[in-house]
Amino acid sequence: MKLKKFNFKIVNSTNDLAIKIIKNTDNKSGIVIAEKQKRGRGQYGKKWTSYKGNLFVSIFFQVSLVQLSIKDLTKVNCLLVKKLLSNFYKDKIMIKNPNDLLINNKKISGILQETLFKSGEKFIIVGIGINLIKSPTIKNYLTTNLFDLTGVKITPNNVILKLKKIYESFIPILSEFNIKNLNKNLK
């Protein structure tokens, strides 16, 4: 399966744009990429700080045949992003439920999932933000970025290629996915 790429310089929110694409086109899957978001969103309506050079993408695809709950899909998406991050950082990466990834107890990534129904088909939108070169300041929440951790400046394009490949391999097997063997299934 190939995810169609939708590239933008500046958007309000990649998730909002993915929702518009689903509603207004016949695209069943895709990846919305932005260099900057003006109104990025996090969980529970929190603001997602979007510094240029960090990663802001939303992946959308049909999940009508998928038997997983949204909670289980969140776990799966966290593990897929953890797998992506492990390409760039070799030490421990933790998942903080429900949807944050931490390194050294500092947030490096967040995921915002939303669902949408169109013509009886269910879609999931997976918004992914990763601090590549700059960490936002969040009150009472430590943050980090890959550049500070590795000393290597990783470009969004490099990360997007790997992320796209991970999801293109995973989406076709999602309908027969077994949540009990989660870690084994994602190796």
Side-chain angles (χ1 to χ4, degrees), residues 53-89:
N54 286 345
L55 182 82
F56 320 107
V57 300
S58 291
I59 295 170
F60 66 90
F61 52 95
Q62 264 186 281
V63 289
S64 298
L65 301 174
V66 175
Q67 300 303 313
L68 297 175
S69 68
I70 290 299
K71 185 178 177 182
D72 287 340
L73 277 170
T74 301
K75 254 187 230 174
V76 168
N77 285 309
C78 284
L79 286 167
L80 292 173
V81 174
K82 182 177 178 181
K83 181 178 181 173
L84 168 73
L85 288 170
S86 69
N87 284 283
F88 304 100
Y89 184 77

Side-chain angles (χ1 to χ4, degrees), residues 30-155:
I31 180 169
V32 177
I33 303 157
E35 290 180 21
K36 186 156 176 44
Q37 295 182 111
K38 291 190 280 185
R39 290 196 292 270
R41 296 184 285 118
Q43 190 82 354
Y44 310 116
K46 292 179 184 168
K47 180 183 177 205
W48 182 266
T49 304
S50 302
Y51 293 121
K52 190 173 180 179
N54 286 345
L55 182 82
F56 320 107
V57 300
S58 291
I59 295 170
F60 66 90
F61 52 95
Q62 264 186 281
V63 289
S64 298
L65 301 174
V66 175
Q67 300 303 313
L68 297 175
S69 68
I70 290 299
K71 185 178 177 182
D72 287 340
L73 277 170
T74 301
K75 254 187 230 174
V76 168
N77 285 309
C78 284
L79 286 167
L80 292 173
V81 174
K82 182 177 178 181
K83 181 178 181 173
L84 168 73
L85 288 170
S86 69
N87 284 283
F88 304 100
Y89 184 77
K90 300 303 177 196
D91 289 330
K92 190 172 184 177
I93 302 166
M94 292 181 47
I95 295 172
K96 179 181 175 276
N97 287 329
N99 62 343
D100 287 343
L101 285 100
L102 309 179
I103 295 176
N104 302 326
N105 292 317
K106 297 176 183 176
K107 183 174 180 171
I108 190 152
S109 176
I111 298 170
L112 175 64
Q113 282 187 172
E114 298 179 279
T115 55
L116 173 72
F117 287 89
K118 177 186 173 187
S119 304
E121 296 174 330
K122 185 177 181 181
F123 290 84
I124 187 163
I125 300 99
V126 184
I128 302 167
I130 300 175
N131 301 329
L132 298 179
I133 62 165
K134 190 170 182 183
S135 307
T137 302
I138 302 172
K139 190 176 181 182
N140 301 321
Y141 207 115
L142 298 174
T143 61
T144 191
N145 63 74
L146 282 175
F147 180 71
D148 286 350
L149 292 164
T150 65
V152 177
K153 193 170 183 180
I154 300 161
T155 65

Side-chain angles (χ1 to χ4, degrees), residues 5-9 11 14 31-35 55-58 157 160:
K5 285 170 81 174
F6 299 88
N7 290 297
F8 299 91
K9 291 257 184 227
V11 301
T14 56
I31 180 169
V32 177
I33 303 157
E35 290 180 21
L55 182 82
F56 320 107
V57 300
S58 291
N157 284 341
I160 289 164

